[in-house]
Amino acid sequence: MSIFTKIIDGEIPCYKVAEDDNFIAFLDINPNAKGHTLVVPKKEVNKLFDLSKEEYLSLMDFSYRVAKALEKAVPCNRVGQSVIGLEVPHVHVHLIPLNAMADIQFHQKVKLSNDEFVGLAKSIADKFE
Ligand code: AMP
């Protein structure tokens, strides 16, 4: 069982941004930038292109809606999207508010307090449609 399935099942906590029957979005715990969000299918599948085309397109649709909320909640040059999965073998889309190339490079991390995580998750969730 992946760490993200444990989050989906409520066994471990997350800073939740959005959820429906098939997807959940929550803040990355070790963010590249403020507002770095992960969008995860509830069905545990390892690799992005192991999803059916329909599942893939649904994931992109949900990610689009989360990205729109993120753009409204977190001032930035643009929201970047990346799929890696080398650390957690459960499909997830990274949505990252970008101001510089370093923000998408997964080297430079920002430290946030619990209150900052809570505030960010709420402000993105409030903008989610
Ligand atoms: P990757 O699999 O390389 O796309 O990276 C996995 C991402 O998941 C990293 O950015 C981690 O910081 C993030 N991550 C790992 N565990 C958690 C967790 N419990 N809650 C939120 N994000 C996590």
Side-chain angles (χ1 to χ4, degrees):
M1 183 189 284
S2 79
I3 190 157
F4 292 163
T5 295
K6 288 182 182 161
I7 289 174
I8 290 156
D9 291 348
E11 286 176 36
I12 56 175
C14 72
Y15 298 101
K16 189 162 78 180
V17 164
E19 182 173 19
D20 72 2
D21 288 347
N22 298 312
F23 303 101
I24 187 170
F26 50 85
L27 295 179
D28 193 297
I29 206 66
N30 188 21
N32 290 16
K34 267 189 190 181
H36 182 166
T37 299
L38 303 177
V39 184
V40 185
K42 290 187 175 177
K43 181 176 163 191
E44 186 175 329
V45 170
N46 181 352
K47 294 184 262 179
L48 180 67
F49 298 111
D50 287 343
L51 294 173
S52 68
K53 191 167 168 189
E54 189 182 42
E55 290 166 336
Y56 170 84
L57 293 173
S58 298
L59 172 63
M60 291 303 134
D61 184 76
F62 196 83
S63 300
Y64 179 94
R65 291 165 59 204
V66 175
K68 287 289 180 186
L70 190 49
E71 272 180 350
K72 289 181 189 146
V74 179
C76 60
N77 181 291
R78 66 196 56 223
V79 172
Q81 176 173 295
S82 162
V83 176
I84 305 170
L86 291 170
E87 185 185 324
V88 178
H90 181 155
V91 175
H92 51 283
V93 173
H94 294 263
L95 296 174
I96 307 171
L98 302 180
N99 291 297
M101 187 62 88
D103 297 329
I104 199 82
Q105 287 174 335
F106 295 86
H107 297 311
Q108 190 178 284
K109 297 292 180 172
V110 296
K111 283 266 174 255
L112 302 177
S113 68
N114 181 62
D115 285 355
E116 285 176 300
F117 274 117
V118 170
L120 276 164
K122 186 177 181 323
S123 59
I124 302 164
D126 285 348
K127 301 279 191 295
F128 183 73
E129 291 173 354

